[in-house]
Amino acid sequence: MINAPKTIRENLRFLCAEIDGQLIQLEAFFKEPTAATARRIMDRAGYAHNLKSRILAACVQQMAGARKNDRKHLTLRSLEFVATDLQRIANLVRQSLRHAERIETFVTLEPERYPAIVSRVRQGVARIEDALLSRDSEKAIEIGQLQNKIEADYRKLFKAYTRDMRNPDRLPADIANSLLVASEFQRMGESLRAISEALISANIGQAVNFERYFALQGLMSDLDTASDDVTIETIAETRSGSSISAIKDKKTETVTAVFKDGDKSKVKEERQGVKSWHSIYPGLAPKILSYRKRDQSAALLIEHLPGLTFEHIVLNEGDALRNQALASLSRTLKDVWKQTRTAEPADLGSMQQLGKRLGDVRRVHPEFKETGIHFAGETLPSLDALIIKAADREARVTAPFSVYIHGDFNVDNIIYDPGENRIHFVDLHRSRYMDYVQDVSVFMVSNYRLQVLDRETRRRISDVSLAFYKSVRAFARKQGDDTFEYRLALGLARSFATSTRFILDKSHARRMWLRARYLIEQALACPPGAEARFRLQMKEIFVD
């Protein structure tokens, strides 16, 4: 960990001492509840706030010269969190005191139980400076583990107070205030855990919580690599809450593995998806090096795949490499689809998917809530009404076969290795047998929604989408899939509309929203039974 500047270290020491002094006074109040003791605590409300403010100001000043993702920046951010949670403990001390002062029969609080709990909080505060200066994650962990003991104390108190509710000699207001006092100590334990996680994050150079740290340590032991020999850098944060990091060798700066953690069910789905791809089409998915689960979270250590994401290629590389990557992608997809094809018809269900996500879209873009459109004296139906009609039409037009699809075929989930001229897939938790139009529509719209608006880049994006469409359309014709374009229109409509929830640029989002409506209107204008003759005007859709 980068050494903290002297002014921050000094103010942090003063802040820890101040919090400890307030906790001592609170302990004294539980032993002998006097107004003088209470006043001494209340009168010091500004001290902790001022010290925290000095630490935060110093951190902001130091961060002005640090890159956002370097170790110094993370250390300073961690120190901000430590200072903030220390002041939170001071606030909780005063809050618990206010609740205690409202108790008429003080014995109801069972005050003799509290000095031991206060002592646990003091132990945590006393260890902060040592854990910071020694850069010892084990000492930081000890601070966080005090939360478990404080939580156990809280549960015992909760049980005792709720039992007293049946005692007619106890005043209900006294029991309620006693419960509130206990709750404030429970929150102090949560603050100690947050401080512990901030210190660990500073030490390892990666923002972590307890579950993530233990998962990472366990996986590193499986990799047979000492944690001191590697650095950890965040690659991405997924929308589902998972975090993805690169494990780098300190000496060579090469990525040795990828660490992914998150909700146990999501990580389990990812693991199963990778396994399925290895059995169905070996070599396309990365290898799983290790898997660990802990409580409701889990983590994977995944093989690092060389190459560039398709997003990077579209935005940053030349036409030659882009065309080479696109050709490799098209060839790979057609081979996967041929090898995994089954005779089972597949329902795309894109209009049902869109209907379920309209609420999420309109929380970001409330202007997309339509009751009807009035134009030239005519009232056009709302998009919601069009979706209901289109869902009925779509249910009657199924894909003639099923194939194994990626399931989340965005441009950042596709990796191309120019050296080997090979495609790899990542983020595979949604893989399943399905209509291949699902992946086709998601890929095309994930290109279009890239938020780079200069004319040349938009042309490149359009070229990729149109070339990909032509390639897949040729595959569909060879496979006798006559309704491919009709289903694709509805799939694109779904992807355009639902993707707007990730776009804050109002103009770009509106272009996507209008394209979704246009595609649904075009699909509904096609006479029932004529879906095989439906044709998409793709240039009108993808050329800005």
Side-chain angles (χ1 to χ4, degrees):
M1 186 188 79
I2 305 295
N3 284 326
K6 182 179 178 182
T7 181
I8 296 176
R9 293 200 310 271
E10 289 179 348
N11 281 310
L12 185 64
R13 175 179 292 181
F14 291 142
L15 181 55
C16 289
E18 174 61 30
I19 303 303
D20 186 61
Q22 294 186 26
L23 287 166
I24 289 172
Q25 292 298 324
L26 183 62
E27 184 177 350
F29 180 85
F30 287 127
K31 292 177 179 177
E32 187 177 349
T34 64
T37 303
R39 179 52 48 200
R40 279 195 290 271
I41 295 173
M42 292 301 183
D43 285 346
R44 300 198 66 82
Y47 287 80
H49 174 77
N50 290 340
L51 289 165
K52 182 207 77 170
S53 297
R54 291 176 194 168
I55 293 170
L56 264 57
C59 287
V60 169
Q61 184 180 25
Q62 291 288 324
M63 281 191 286
R67 294 190 307 274
K68 185 174 181 180
N69 293 322
D70 70 8
R71 293 290 291 271
K72 180 180 179 182
H73 188 280
L74 180 60
T75 297
L76 292 167
R77 288 290 292 153
S78 297
L79 289 170
E80 284 185 332
F81 295 146
V82 169
T84 299
D85 270 290
L86 278 169
Q87 196 215 353
R88 182 173 181 245
I89 291 174
N91 292 340
L92 293 170
V93 166
R94 292 194 301 277
Q95 201 58 30
S96 65
L97 181 60
R98 291 189 186 100
H99 299 316
E101 285 185 305
R102 297 190 187 107
I103 299 173
E104 291 187 26
T105 308
F106 200 64
V107 70
T108 303
L109 181 65
E110 300 190 32
E112 69 279 359
R113 291 179 180 239
Y114 280 90
I117 308 175
V118 173
S119 178
R120 296 194 201 283
V121 182
R122 289 185 62 201
Q123 287 174 36
V125 173
R127 294 172 181 175
I128 291 172
E129 187 179 10
D130 186 28
L132 174 68
L133 297 179
S134 66
R135 311 172 193 178
D136 189 336
S137 293
E138 293 301 319
K139 291 181 178 179
I141 288 170
E142 290 174 0
I143 297 171
Q145 287 173 333
L146 286 166
Q147 185 206 16
N148 298 330
K149 296 178 180 179
I150 294 170
E151 181 67 24
D153 293 332
Y154 165 77
R155 292 186 182 280
K156 290 176 183 176
L157 286 167
F158 183 88
K159 188 176 180 179
Y161 296 149
T162 52
R163 186 177 60 242
D164 280 351
M165 291 177 180
R166 297 188 292 270
N167 187 342
D169 296 330
R170 298 296 192 203
L171 295 173
D174 284 357
I175 296 173
N177 279 301
S178 296
L179 282 166
L180 289 170
V181 172
S183 180
E184 304 301 354
F185 276 90
Q186 183 188 38
R187 292 188 177 96
M188 290 184 204
E190 292 170 356
S191 286
L192 289 177
R193 182 166 176 137
I195 289 168
S196 169
E197 291 173 345
L199 293 171
I200 294 169
S201 298
N203 285 342
I204 69 174
Q206 175 73 38
V208 294
N209 57 26
F210 251 43
E211 286 74 17
R212 189 162 200 245
Y213 177 73
F214 286 120
L216 180 59
Q217 291 294 96
L219 291 174
M220 292 299 291
S221 65
D222 292 342
L223 192 61
D224 198 25
T225 300
S227 57
D228 292 341
D229 297 332
V230 299
T231 59
I232 307 159
E233 294 182 6
T234 299
I235 300 173
E237 300 284 345
T238 70
R239 296 184 183 96
S240 62
S242 296
S243 183
I244 305 171
S245 303
I247 311 296
K248 284 188 173 182
D249 185 286
K250 274 186 178 178
K251 294 180 181 178
T252 64
E253 284 293 307
T254 57
V255 177
T256 59
V258 174
F259 172 67
K260 183 173 183 177
D261 73 311
D263 179 77
K264 185 163 63 175
S265 63
K266 297 290 185 185
V267 176
K268 189 176 180 181
E269 288 174 357
E270 172 82 6
R271 184 189 184 206
Q272 187 56 49
V274 171
K275 284 185 172 181
S276 296
W277 276 105
H278 282 309
S279 63
I280 292 169
Y281 199 92
L284 200 57
K287 296 176 183 175
I288 294 178
L289 304 177
S290 187
Y291 169 75
R292 291 290 180 104
K293 56 185 177 180
R294 176 185 170 90
D295 298 328
Q296 296 305 308
S297 64
L300 288 170
L301 202 61
I302 305 170
E303 169 194 19
H304 172 252
L305 296 171
L308 306 168
T309 66
F310 210 90
E311 177 180 355
H312 174 90
I313 292 171
V314 170
L315 296 180
N316 301 292
E317 301 298 331
D319 289 349
L321 182 58
R322 180 201 65 192
N323 293 337
Q324 184 180 327
L326 186 58
S328 180
L329 176 62
S330 298
R331 187 168 55 249
T332 301
L333 280 176
K334 291 176 183 178
D335 194 39
V336 170
W337 293 340
K338 287 176 183 177
Q339 289 197 34
T340 63
R341 174 173 172 162
T342 72
E344 185 72 24
D347 292 318
L348 183 59
S350 59
M351 292 298 96
Q352 288 186 349
Q353 294 175 40
L354 175 53
K356 291 177 181 177
R357 293 176 183 169
L358 281 177
D360 294 335
V361 169
R362 286 164 175 163
R363 274 189 285 274
V364 179
H365 297 286
E367 68 274 15
F368 290 163
K369 186 172 179 58
E370 303 169 0
T371 56
I373 298 175
H374 304 283
F375 180 75
E378 296 290 331
T379 299
L380 303 178
S382 68
L383 184 68
D384 303 63
L386 293 176
I387 290 170
I388 293 171
K389 291 181 180 179
D392 183 59
R393 287 286 301 274
E394 186 179 37
R396 301 179 220 165
V397 185
T398 59
F401 53 85
S402 299
V403 300
Y404 201 67
I405 68 165
H406 182 287
D408 190 15
F409 208 49
N410 290 299
V411 286
D412 55 353
N413 287 334
I414 305 163
I415 296 174
Y416 175 64
D417 180 359
E420 297 291 332
N421 192 24
R422 291 188 63 181
I423 291 289
H424 295 285
F425 295 164
V426 296
D427 204 3
L428 299 164
H429 65 281
R430 293 180 182 168
S431 296
R432 63 199 185 280
Y433 277 92
M434 178 65 170
D435 183 349
Y436 62 105
V437 164
Q438 172 85 14
D439 274 359
V440 176
S441 61
V442 169
F443 175 80
M444 293 177 70
V445 173
S446 73
N447 275 280
Y448 184 89
R449 82 179 189 208
L450 292 172
Q451 296 182 68
V452 180
L453 302 179
D454 69 89
R455 182 174 297 179
E456 178 58 25
T457 303
R458 298 309 300 175
R459 180 194 65 78
R460 286 164 56 84
I461 290 170
S462 175
D463 289 348
V464 167
S465 298
L466 294 175
F468 183 74
Y469 159 70
K470 290 176 182 178
S471 174
V472 178
R473 183 183 61 183
F475 169 83
R477 289 175 176 173
K478 286 184 180 180
Q479 301 299 313
D481 183 1
D482 296 332
T483 61
F484 163 73
E485 292 197 52
Y486 188 85
R487 303 193 320 276
L488 180 60
L490 295 176
L492 288 171
R494 176 216 51 225
S495 294
F496 272 123
T498 59
S499 292
T500 59
R501 69 192 194 275
F502 308 129
I503 307 295
L504 295 181
D505 183 285
K506 295 295 183 182
S507 297
H508 196 36
R510 183 159 182 79
R511 285 193 293 271
M512 295 171 68
W513 186 255
L514 291 175
R515 280 165 169 76
R517 183 183 178 97
Y518 168 78
L519 285 161
I520 295 173
E521 289 175 338
Q522 291 296 302
L524 288 174
C526 176
E531 290 85 4
R533 296 194 298 273
F534 179 86
R535 294 294 178 264
L536 279 164
Q537 301 301 315
M538 201 59 74
K539 284 189 178 180
E540 294 179 11
I541 300 166
F542 279 89
V543 176
D544 290 316

